Amino acid sequence: MLDGHYNEWLNLLVRWFHITAGIAWIGASFYFNWLENNLVRTGKQKDGISGYLWAIHGGGIYRLEKYKSAPEKMPETLHWFKWEAYTTWLTGIALLFVQYYMNANLYLIDPQVMALEAWQAVAIGILVIVATWVIYHKLCDLLAHNPQLLVFVGFVLMSLAAYGLTQVFSGRGAFIHVGAMIGTMMVGNVAHVIMPSQRALIAAVEKGEEVDPKYGAKALLRSRHNNYLTLPILFIMISNHYPSTFSDSLNWAILLGLVVISMAIRHHFNIQHKPEKSAWILPVGVVALLGLAFITKPAPYVAPVTAAVEQSADATAALNNKAKDIIVERCASCHAVAPSSEMFTAAPLGILLETQEQIDSLSERIFQRSVVLKTMPLANITQMTDEERDVIGQWYSANQK
């Protein structure tokens, strides 16, 4: 295990690189799909041109044109868009190793879900990611003639994968592996379909041969797949910050709901300038997101009757002391000025839980994370018991009266 200080810096640098590359890749995807949907295809066009678009940006006016297949002669300089995708995936896999595989017992494994050795969890994760691309790529070839069936089968398989992963890994570990699966599908589309199709198109032009339109069509189809997967993967990239989603008992269903809703919202923006646009998609998607937030709200905490505490001044003081002792014992190994845990060299998020004043000021957060969501201590590394969580719940409830 890497020293906590260096692990944090390595995580920071890889994550920073990953986000930067991701912005470049997804930004390019959004732009070219927007461009495709906004080309002027009516009226008289130049020979060989299927559509054009006028745009203004940064003080300059641009005219962009799309060829029906390719120009008669290739230009000397042709800009390719591939390294954004490759770099995003490579840095994403690197981050998966730094954050989850090098710290599997902390972030990936939840003993209450399945007791695994670190190497077993890592092996399962890698196997799932590799298998995803193989299965997806084969399905695309087999069902290319029936895109509706492809979407249905793909969703069923993704649902099974999401459910299965939540039965093996921690909630956040399962979520991030679904993200890695989607990211691998997307970069695989670029490397094994889009780029070869574009190379074949250019080779045909350079040889003076007639360009087979299937190359462009195949690349465009996989590019559309990537476009619809961008919003789901963006959520998964930030999901570790939102335990209300990954800590729920139906976390796999929440993830699938967010995937479907975000793809529907993406579809709205893809077709909003087309004749077949549907005005209902966006408002329904927004309402569905709000509804998902509503139905996933945890039930109010009720302290066990058998553990009820008499609400006298002395009893309340005793309860406060007992709760403080638990929090210091179970939480302050990380949340301290000088953490004793070798995983951290500074308190995560700067949260300190060493004094009564610090604990009292964060009582709501402590209650939510340790009692309601049960996502703290992280991976329950300090072995907080259910009885101790109940004491914290009683302490919080008593001090709200």
Side-chain angles (χ1 to χ4, degrees):
M1 184 180 294
L2 192 64
D3 175 88
H5 175 75
Y6 295 117
N7 184 79
E8 183 172 320
W9 272 94
L10 181 60
N11 189 308
L12 165 64
L13 296 175
V14 175
R15 188 179 299 272
W16 195 357
F17 195 1
H18 178 56
I19 291 173
T20 302
I23 290 171
W25 183 17
I26 293 173
S29 172
F30 277 14
Y31 174 71
F32 278 102
N33 276 274
W34 176 89
L35 180 62
E36 179 68 25
N37 290 330
N38 286 274
L39 289 173
V40 178
R41 303 179 189 275
T42 58
K44 186 177 180 180
Q45 302 280 358
K46 295 181 181 178
D47 290 342
I49 300 296
S50 66
Y52 68 92
L53 179 136
W54 288 96
I56 183 169
H57 181 75
I61 297 176
Y62 300 80
R63 178 185 166 93
L64 299 96
E65 297 177 336
K66 179 182 179 181
Y67 282 82
K68 292 178 180 177
S69 56
E72 294 182 1
K73 182 180 179 182
M74 295 303 301
E76 292 184 7
T77 302
L78 183 64
H79 296 281
W80 296 72
F81 292 84
K82 57 181 179 178
W83 285 109
E84 299 89 345
Y86 298 162
T87 305
T88 301
W89 186 81
L90 289 170
T91 54
I93 293 298
L95 187 58
L96 182 66
F97 271 84
V98 171
Q99 176 79 32
Y100 289 90
Y101 291 173
M102 292 172 61
N103 304 288
N105 290 321
L106 194 60
Y107 295 108
L108 184 57
I109 298 170
D110 183 344
Q112 296 182 331
V113 176
M114 182 176 288
L116 294 169
E117 296 293 334
W119 71 267
Q120 293 173 320
V122 172
I124 292 170
I126 294 173
L127 179 62
V128 167
I129 293 169
V130 173
T132 296
W133 166 250
V134 174
I135 294 171
Y136 165 75
H137 191 48
K138 292 295 183 182
L139 279 176
C140 286
D141 289 339
L142 291 172
L143 301 178
H145 62 287
N146 193 336
Q148 290 81 12
L149 181 59
L150 174 60
V151 170
F152 174 77
V153 174
F155 180 74
V156 170
L157 292 177
M158 183 64 70
S159 301
L160 293 173
Y163 175 78
L165 287 169
T166 58
Q167 308 308 303
V168 176
F169 296 147
S170 66
R172 63 186 292 179
F175 273 36
I176 207 66
H177 274 83
V178 173
M181 290 162 58
I182 293 174
T184 299
M185 289 159 54
M186 294 172 69
V187 79
N189 282 338
V190 174
H192 296 286
V193 179
I194 297 173
M195 294 306 299
S197 294
Q198 292 177 168
R199 292 192 188 98
L201 185 150
I202 290 174
V205 172
E206 290 177 341
K207 293 177 182 178
E209 300 174 352
E210 185 175 349
V211 177
D212 190 334
K214 73 178 183 182
Y215 294 125
K218 194 172 184 180
L220 180 60
L221 176 63
R222 294 294 186 98
S223 179
R224 284 300 174 115
H225 286 187
N226 284 3
N227 175 258
Y228 278 99
L229 292 170
T230 49
L231 293 186
I233 202 170
L234 281 175
F235 161 72
I236 294 172
M237 286 173 68
I238 63 173
S239 64
N240 65 306
H241 296 289
Y242 302 97
S244 294
T245 58
F246 65 74
S247 67
D248 193 279
S249 59
L250 294 176
N251 47 13
W252 63 274
I254 294 172
L255 176 58
L256 292 173
L258 287 166
V259 167
V260 172
I261 292 168
S262 59
M263 289 178 72
I265 291 173
R266 184 69 228 151
H267 183 62
H268 162 78
F269 287 105
N270 282 340
I271 67 171
Q272 64 176 328
H273 297 296
K274 292 189 173 184
E276 66 270 24
K277 64 182 178 182
S278 299
W280 59 269
I281 296 178
L282 186 59
V284 168
V286 172
V287 170
L289 280 175
L290 296 176
L292 197 57
F294 176 77
I295 64 177
T296 57
K297 179 177 174 59
Y301 172 77
V302 178
V305 175
T306 55
V309 177
E310 182 185 352
Q311 293 305 307
S312 65
D314 290 342
T316 299
L319 180 60
N320 288 343
N321 289 332
K322 189 174 183 180
K324 179 193 173 184
D325 290 343
I326 292 171
I327 293 168
V328 169
E329 180 182 0
R330 303 303 188 188
C331 306
S333 60
C334 298
H335 293 284
V337 173
S340 59
S341 170
E342 62 181 21
M343 291 301 305
F344 301 100
T345 55
L349 302 178
I351 295 174
L352 302 176
L353 299 174
E354 296 179 285
T355 68
Q356 188 67 58
E357 291 75 15
Q358 293 168 344
I359 291 170
D360 289 342
S361 67
L362 293 165
S363 61
E364 168 71 21
R365 187 166 188 153
I366 294 169
F367 171 70
Q368 287 293 331
R369 296 299 296 271
S370 65
V371 180
V372 178
L373 300 175
K374 297 185 178 180
T375 56
M376 286 294 167
L378 190 62
N380 203 16
I381 194 169
T382 57
Q383 299 299 304
M384 180 182 285
T385 66
D386 288 339
E387 291 75 16
E388 290 172 332
R389 295 182 194 275
D390 284 334
V391 171
I392 295 174
Q394 294 168 48
W395 160 75
Y396 176 78
S397 299
N399 284 279
Q400 297 306 301
K401 298 177 180 178

